[in-house]
Amino acid sequence: MAKKDQTTDAAREKDREKWMARFQVRLAMQPGVDRAVVLQAVKDVTAHCAGTGEHPRAAFGDPDAYAVQAAARLVPADRAARARRHDAVVDTLGSVLKRAGDVARL
C-alpha cells in the first residue's frame, strides 16, 4: 500500500509542477508582466496551496485562464496598455520588414 501512496504522491507532485510551469509561462506572456509580477504570483499560489493543501488546479482552475486573471490583478492598467501598444508596433514593423524582404526577392 505504501508503494501505491508514493506513486500517487509523485504523480500529484508532477502534475502540480506542470501546472505551475504552464502558469508561469502564460503569465510571462501577458502584457506588462515582468519578473517581479511572476515571482509575486508564484509566491501567492504557492502560499495558498501550502496553507490549504489544495492542488493549484483545484484552487485556481486552468493555468492559462488564471495567468490572465493574475496579470490583470498585479499589473497596473497603464503599464499593460503601454506594453500592448509596444507589442503592436513591433508586430507591425515585423510585418513591414517581411513584406519588404518579399518584394526584394522578386
Side-chain angles (χ1 to χ4, degrees):
M1 187 68 174
K3 180 77 168 174
K4 186 175 182 181
D5 290 342
Q6 289 174 345
T7 303
T8 302
D9 290 345
R12 183 173 165 83
E13 180 62 20
K14 184 172 183 169
D15 188 49
R16 187 195 68 76
E17 289 173 3
K18 286 172 64 175
W19 190 97
M20 290 295 288
R22 183 162 182 106
F23 170 65
Q24 290 176 52
V25 168
R26 295 299 186 181
L27 181 60
M29 295 171 60
Q30 298 303 307
V33 170
D34 60 10
R35 185 173 186 268
V37 170
V38 173
L39 291 174
Q40 182 61 51
V42 168
K43 181 181 171 184
D44 293 347
V45 169
T46 302
H48 175 85
C49 292
T52 63
E54 286 182 288
H55 186 283
R57 185 173 310 280
F60 302 103
D62 179 64
D64 297 346
Y66 188 65
V68 172
Q69 293 172 9
R73 181 174 43 88
L74 296 171
V75 176
D78 62 326
R79 188 167 85 191
R82 193 169 41 251
R84 279 191 290 276
R85 285 192 304 273
H86 177 267
D87 291 348
V89 169
V90 169
D91 289 346
T92 301
L93 182 58
S95 179
V96 167
L97 291 173
K98 182 182 181 310
R99 288 184 190 154
D102 292 345
V103 168
R105 282 186 232 121
L106 291 177

